[in-house]
Structure formats: C-alpha cells, structure tokens
Amino acid sequence: EIVLTQSPATLSLSPGERATLSCRASQSVSSYLAWYQQKPGQAPRLLIYDASNRATGIPARFSGSGSGTDFTLTISSLEPEDFAVYYCQQRSNWPGITFGQGTRLEIK
Amino acid sequence: QVQLQESGPGLVKPSQTLSLTCTVSGGSISSGDYYWSWIRQPPGKGLEWIGYIYYSGSTYYNPSLKSRVTISVDTSKNQFSLKLSSVTAADTAVYYCARGIAAREDFDYWGQGTLVTVSS
C-alpha cells in the first residue's frame, strides 16, 4: 500500500498570505495525485486532479505541482473561506486508493 | 447537476451488517465514464476508501476491508449499495458515497455523508 504523508499537520496563516502544503508518497505515484478541501460538517471537494489540473469551478489561486513522490498544493493568497482541512489522494497503485492524513489550515 | 444521497440506519449493533444505499440523481449510474464509490471518515479522523463499483457490476475493494465488504449496483433505480459485515466500534464513521471519474479515479461529486454508529 502506498502511504501518503502530509505536512505540516497544521498550518497557521493570515488572510492574504501564501499557503504551501506538502504531500509525500512512499513510492512513486507518477502524476496520479488529487487534492481535496474539507470544511467542518461537509463532504470533501475536489480541487486538483492529476497533480496540477484544477477541477471545474476551482479558483485560480489554487495550484498543484509535483510528480513522482513529492507534491505541493499552493494557495497564492488566502481568502477567509480557504481555512479548512486539505487531503491528498493517490490512485497509482490501482485499484488501491489512499488518502493522506490531512493538513489543517487555520487562521493565525 | 449530479447529486448523491446516502440512506440507511444510523445505528448498528456490533457483529451485525451495516447497509447503506446511495441514490444518484441528475445523471445516469450506467455511464461508462464513472465509478461509484464508498469512502468513510471516523469522527475527527481522515478519509478511508472502502471500494467502488462500475455500472457493469465490476467491483474493487480496499484490501484491508475486502473480506467484509460487498458493493452492488441497481441501474434500474440509479442506486448503489454498501454492505459491511461483522462491524465493530472501529467501523463507526461518516460514510460518503462519491462519483469517481473512470479515467482518473478521483472523486468529483460526493454525497453529504451519513453517520453510522456501531453500538449495542
């Protein structure tokens, strides 16, 4: 099973700042990595697929990069609604799908 | 707009079988472009993929749950279902159904989730 490790566990920033979230895979997942945002009491929302492609309706301030084992989700300028938990997900080891443990982005 | 809605008991006794149904609206479950999946999230914890089914009935399960999981599809009702047998308190979680894109296997539409508690 491929293990995804997200860092940091918690990130404290202010609105307007740049957020950089990391996801590291225990073995290569090529570019088969997605990012989700989850707010309290809500289902996750797909942000990024195939490492760097924004899902439909996702603002341009969200971007993804990386390949192989190291991936990054960047939020260029934080809006108040961006404070949430973020998960990465891989599907390279098909048909096994795994998620990272999450990064909590909180208001400083 | 595609919508998914989970339904089923919110309380299950230990050793019994958890049964949930997901009703899909706004799109056909028979589309070959998608998989139909179950994902769960224990309270305060992360996400765990349970498995998914293709409209043809082909299934793929998380190896850690495979011996206890059955996912089925009813295309006539545009529904798919989850059965998880021999449940314990560790199976207490919010259960989500979700649509997976076949070419990518990420999840673009999710149900709101339903909390299932395992307790006597």
Side-chain angles (χ1 to χ4, degrees):
Chain A
E1 174 183 305
I2 293 179
V3 176
L4 298 178
T5 301
Q6 293 187 240
S7 62
T10 302
L11 184 59
S12 299
L13 293 170
S14 300
E17 290 192 294
R18 181 184 186 90
T20 303
L21 288 68
S22 175
C23 178
R24 176 164 290 179
S26 58
Q27 59 186 277
S28 177
V29 298
S30 186
S31 293
Y32 303 138
L33 191 102
W35 289 94
Y36 299 84
Q37 176 194 67
Q38 187 178 34
K39 296 179 180 179
Q42 296 184 16
R45 177 174 70 143
L46 178 65
L47 299 175
I48 301 288
Y49 65 91
D50 288 347
S52 61
N53 297 284
R54 273 190 304 277
T56 303
I58 301 303
R61 64 181 182 274
F62 291 91
S63 64
S65 63
S67 66
T69 60
D70 290 297
F71 300 86
T72 300
L73 174 69
T74 300
I75 310 171
S76 59
S77 179
L78 285 165
E79 297 287 341
E81 62 267 27
D82 297 336
F83 293 91
V85 180
Y86 291 83
Y87 293 95
C88 56
Q89 173 238 320
Q90 69 83 25
R91 60 97 167 175
S92 178
N93 192 13
W94 188 88
I97 290 174
T98 54
F99 291 88
Q101 83 281 12
T103 288
R104 181 178 304 278
L105 178 57
E106 64 177 27
I107 300 176
K108 186 173 182 179
Chain B
Q1 178 79 349
V2 174
Q3 292 185 316
L4 295 87
Q5 178 68 57
E6 304 90 351
S7 59
L11 181 64
V12 180
K13 289 181 167 50
S15 80
Q16 293 191 341
T17 296
L18 178 159
S19 296
L20 295 173
T21 295
C22 182
T23 300
V24 180
S25 58
S28 173
I29 204 168
S30 298
S31 170
D33 294 332
Y34 307 110
Y35 290 103
W36 304 94
S37 190
W38 290 97
I39 296 160
R40 69 181 183 178
Q41 185 171 35
K45 296 187 178 181
L47 299 162
E48 180 180 34
W49 172 70
I50 298 170
Y52 57 66
I53 191 165
Y54 196 48
Y55 78 97
S56 63
S58 298
T59 53
Y60 307 88
Y61 300 139
N62 185 326
S64 69
L65 298 169
K66 187 175 181 179
S67 63
R68 300 194 291 129
V69 172
T70 302
I71 297 176
S72 58
V73 65
D74 186 336
T75 55
S76 67
K77 295 182 178 179
N78 229 34
Q79 295 177 334
F80 63 107
S81 298
L82 169 70
K83 291 189 185 298
L84 180 65
S85 64
S86 305
V87 297
T88 69
D91 295 309
T92 294
V94 174
Y95 285 76
Y96 294 101
C97 58
R99 187 179 83 168
I101 298 176
R104 305 185 332 225
E105 295 188 44
D106 45 64
F107 306 101
D108 63 345
Y109 284 96
W110 297 62
Q112 65 186 23
T114 187
L115 175 62
V116 179
T117 301
V118 178
S119 175
S120 56

